[in-house]
Amino acid sequence: MELEPLGIRNDVIEFDMFGLGVGDETIDIEHPIEGGENNQLLEPFDGIVSGRISGEVYGDMNLEPYEGMEFESEEAAKAFYNLYARRVGFSTRVSMSRRSRRDGAIIQRSFVCAREGFRVEKEKPGRDGGGARIKRPRAETRVGCKAMLVVKIQNLGRWVVSGFVKEHNHELVPPDKVHCLRSHRHVSGRAKSLIDTLQGAGIGPSGIMSALIKEYGGIRSVGFTERDCRNYMRSSKQRTLGGDPQTLLDYLKQKHLENPSFFYAVQGDEDHCMSNIFWADPKARTNFSYFGDTVTFDTTYRSNRYRLPFAPFTGVNHHGQPVLFGCALLINESKASFSWLFSTWLMAMCGKPPVSITTDHDRVIRLAVRQVFPEARHRFCKWHIFKECQEKLSHVLSEHINFEAEFHKCVSLTEFIEEFEACWFTLIDKYDLGENEWLQAIYADRKQWVPVYLRDTFFAEMSIMQHSDSMNSYFDGYVNASTTLQQFIKLYEKAVESRYEKEVKADYDTMHIGPALKTPSPMEKQAAEIYTRKLFIKFQEELVETLTFLATKVDDNEATTVFQVAKFGESHKSYLVHYNVREIKASCSCQMFEFSSLLCRHILTVFRVTNVLTLPPCYVLKRWTRNAKSGLMLEEQTCNLLNSYQESFNDRYNNLQREAFKYVDEGAKDEECYQVAMDALREAANKVAIFNKTGAGVSNSGGTCKEVFATLESRVNNPFEARQLSGGPSTPVDEQDKKIQKLTRKLERARQKCELYRTNLMTVLKDIEQQKLQLTVKVQSIKLGMKG
């Protein structure tokens, strides 16, 4: 269909259906299909304001467009055609506009089926300007459909339909799927309010869509898809930040320029927009090398309390303080995004996965952890589940005031699996909660959050019963509900500096404030000299408690003795300790050492009654000692040098072996070749021995090892020439064996010397690190004195 000529003669520029006009003033407005503020897909008919459409049209919403139909405004015509498209089953968009040459005002609009025309791929230059940029492949949606509505403005300011094509060249969408069409997907004001509320409560897109479907009575009534919900949530987060994440990105780029060890990465989402951001400063990466055995990924800041899509990776240092391993800004929270984030973090930490990881109770996070950290023990934060309990069981808590206390006691104070199981089902039966879906779900996940199931894995916590200080606390006091992105950058630096000062203060206290000993035990004095101050206080508590415990031998065999340990007067509550006398190793049924790497009072009681007066080395974990951060990095560098030497030795060994095997294959063909090959090998061994003894003999009488093999190769390939050049009898086999044994002894002595040198070097390096630590503490002491 061709556009009919307008009655304004020379005031208008003509153009074809693709918007290719004559002259520079011709403008075609064909907008992208993607969502966003500039999206020109026709909006759904979300309620027509009286007066926007003429009375005739307003009186019949099922009316089909026709030529001559009038509208009060261009927007009214657009809304009407989109309503008609929703009823019929297709999506619409704005295709073209026509402007007046006189004042540039739009005088004609074309609204078309979204499948109008054909896509024309435009080659875009790459970022470096050199070549075409590779684009994401998109599904073909344009099929050349001719359906359209053309409206033009009349002299009185009213818009009239000047062209209408009804027929489509493709199938239309049935009513139950029309909500999936782009121009009919619209997040209404009411839906936005509900999404904001649920997002503030920490609920993800899938959960929010489920709530909306239930609220509206079906997905069709919701009027948009889960992807639209995700897009709105992402834009909502950016508004919450009080600025564009580009501000943070610029900050990270500058930090990386100042120090190349500052790591950051940005994830692009499926629409090539900035999604999640991760960064780790050099200190965070160094911290992980010392204390990266257990990690907490804290997403609490997404909750209604903060409304900041921020998640730090933290751990626990040798003082029991939270320490930072990196940070992330979460704009997108899909499984793919979390998988990207964990993989990027692992790369920043040099590919070394933790022994254990703690996260919020989140299905998507769990899937990502399984994918990226398959060997790590994954724990859900117990306190996050307690918070969920207040939300999911609010009706139970309001009716039964004792339920919450009993629930906490069941989870936190039971010490054996059988005890927890019995207590759980008693609680469920008592309050008739057997059909509660949330309780069923968390019971199914019990091995990932109930302490009694987690005691066999290290989580760096001083007590199984208490809450770790590392969770939800690193940025407390710095981040709150009103924190914007610009403010966060400054507050982030303040928080990191504050934590560092606290660590230095703890180092100072450990070195200069000696703890008061409470027993004459040599073990207590030893621990006071080894552990940091806070860790020693915890160990001291366990040691002092042994004075009230009794250990009774219940089984004794050649390898292991079993003790039953119980507090005096509480024999009903006992623990079993298996003790190997020869190796001085013990294990307790409470599993405190496995969980925190500190010996429990029960094993210490057995040590007391068996006269073990000092701590066996295997029970002193370096990460809890004063020297936790000394020598480790230097030791790693030394190991790297040794590994480099070992690699070069292995390369030479393998090369020689490969060359020798080639001559073995050739020399074994027949008896004559075999004899020549043996003679040549003996001569080569002679030359190598002379070179090792004199350091220069071979170079003056036959060349290098490489030349030896060249000579060997020529003799194997030419047996007759080999006999002519051999010039005498070969070295006897027993003489060669003696030389080999002599060289082996020399090699062993050299290895022993190297090991001795390495030990002495490490001692010197550790002393240097200790002096550096003391100087740091002195500087901090001077600073504190100046402040005072």
Side-chain angles (χ1 to χ4, degrees), residues 57-119:
V57 177
Y58 186 78
D60 185 1
M61 288 302 158
N62 293 319
L63 189 64
E64 187 175 275
Y66 59 88
E67 292 189 20
M69 179 182 290
E70 294 185 357
F71 299 92
E72 294 289 343
S73 66
E74 173 201 346
E75 291 297 320
K78 181 171 71 172
F80 172 79
Y81 189 59
N82 201 50
L83 179 64
Y84 163 76
R86 182 182 181 91
R87 190 169 66 249
V88 173
F90 67 96
S91 184
T92 61
R93 60 184 173 84
V94 177
S95 176
M96 296 175 293
S97 64
R98 200 172 184 185
R99 295 181 181 272
S100 169
R101 178 178 295 175
R102 192 163 40 193
D103 57 8
I106 295 176
I107 57 175
Q108 182 174 302
R109 282 284 198 191
S110 295
F111 309 123
V112 300
C113 173
R115 308 193 73 177
E116 177 268 345
F118 297 95
R119 179 178 298 141

Side-chain angles (χ1 to χ4, degrees), residues 696-751:
V698 175
S699 61
N700 296 326
S701 59
T704 62
C705 291
K706 185 174 181 180
E707 293 170 340
V708 169
F709 275 112
T711 303
L712 175 62
E713 182 176 17
S714 66
R715 294 187 183 183
V716 171
N717 291 334
N718 193 340
F720 178 77
E721 181 183 352
R723 273 202 209 101
Q724 297 297 322
L725 296 175
S726 60
S730 61
T731 305
V733 175
D734 56 347
E735 184 179 344
Q736 296 297 324
D737 289 342
K738 289 180 181 178
K739 288 184 177 181
I740 291 173
Q741 292 173 2
K742 184 177 180 181
L743 292 172
T744 303
R745 288 194 296 271
K746 286 184 177 180
L747 179 62
E748 182 60 31
R749 286 196 295 272
R751 285 178 178 172

Side-chain angles (χ1 to χ4, degrees), residues 468-528:
S468 172
D469 186 41
S470 68
M471 192 68 175
N472 309 338
S473 64
Y474 192 93
F475 289 94
D476 279 4
Y478 295 91
V479 175
N480 56 53
S482 61
T483 302
T484 65
L485 188 56
Q486 290 84 350
Q487 294 171 335
F488 170 73
I489 293 173
K490 296 179 180 179
L491 295 173
Y492 159 80
E493 292 183 340
K494 286 185 178 181
V496 172
E497 182 62 27
S498 174
R499 289 292 178 182
Y500 175 68
E501 289 184 2
K502 289 180 179 179
E503 180 178 330
V504 173
K505 179 64 165 58
D507 286 335
Y508 176 86
D509 291 345
T510 295
M511 295 182 65
H512 296 282
I513 304 177
L517 302 183
K518 297 182 179 180
T519 72
S521 167
M523 187 179 292
E524 183 184 15
K525 182 180 180 181
Q526 175 196 14

Side-chain angles (χ1 to χ4, degrees), residues 362-539:
D362 185 284
R363 179 185 62 85
V364 176
I365 294 177
R366 170 164 52 186
L367 294 174
V369 169
R370 286 178 180 175
Q371 178 181 338
V372 182
F373 308 114
E375 302 299 325
R377 186 70 179 274
H378 183 199
R379 177 180 68 166
F380 297 134
C381 176
K382 176 179 65 175
W383 302 100
H384 183 253
I385 291 182
F386 285 162
K387 180 184 175 182
E388 280 188 1
C389 175
Q390 295 174 349
E391 299 171 2
K392 303 291 185 180
L393 302 179
S394 56
H395 62 290
V396 179
L397 300 180
S398 61
E399 294 176 8
H400 307 285
I401 59 175
N402 294 326
F403 174 81
E404 187 172 13
E406 292 181 42
F407 181 73
H408 279 253
K409 181 179 180 181
C410 174
V411 171
S412 300
L413 298 184
T414 50
E415 299 187 34
F416 302 99
I417 293 177
E418 298 78 9
E419 183 184 1
F420 165 76
E421 297 280 350
C423 183
W424 178 273
F425 287 112
T426 299
L427 192 66
I428 296 298
D429 292 339
K430 179 179 178 180
Y431 293 99
D432 193 23
L433 296 172
E435 302 299 321
N436 186 278
E437 294 182 2
W438 181 77
L439 284 172
Q440 291 176 357
I442 63 169
Y443 177 75
D445 294 334
R446 63 192 181 281
K447 293 182 180 179
Q448 287 186 265
W449 68 277
V450 177
V452 73
Y453 292 97
L454 297 162
R455 291 177 174 174
D456 60 344
T457 304
F458 179 72
F459 284 97
E461 293 184 15
M462 300 301 97
S463 171
I464 296 176
M465 308 305 174
Q466 297 173 3
H467 177 41
S468 172
D469 186 41
S470 68
M471 192 68 175
N472 309 338
S473 64
Y474 192 93
F475 289 94
D476 279 4
Y478 295 91
V479 175
N480 56 53
S482 61
T483 302
T484 65
L485 188 56
Q486 290 84 350
Q487 294 171 335
F488 170 73
I489 293 173
K490 296 179 180 179
L491 295 173
Y492 159 80
E493 292 183 340
K494 286 185 178 181
V496 172
E497 182 62 27
S498 174
R499 289 292 178 182
Y500 175 68
E501 289 184 2
K502 289 180 179 179
E503 180 178 330
V504 173
K505 179 64 165 58
D507 286 335
Y508 176 86
D509 291 345
T510 295
M511 295 182 65
H512 296 282
I513 304 177
L517 302 183
K518 297 182 179 180
T519 72
S521 167
M523 187 179 292
E524 183 184 15
K525 182 180 180 181
Q526 175 196 14
E529 296 172 351
I530 295 175
Y531 288 128
T532 60
R533 182 176 176 83
K534 182 174 180 179
L535 269 294
F536 168 74
I537 291 173
K538 180 59 186 175
F539 173 82

Side-chain angles (χ1 to χ4, degrees), residues 230 234 237 267 269 275-276 330-334 337-338:
R230 289 181 183 274
R234 181 170 56 191
K237 281 184 178 180
Q267 181 193 22
D269 67 8
S275 182
N276 296 326
L330 298 171
I331 305 299
N332 189 324
E333 298 176 24
S334 64
S337 290
F338 280 117

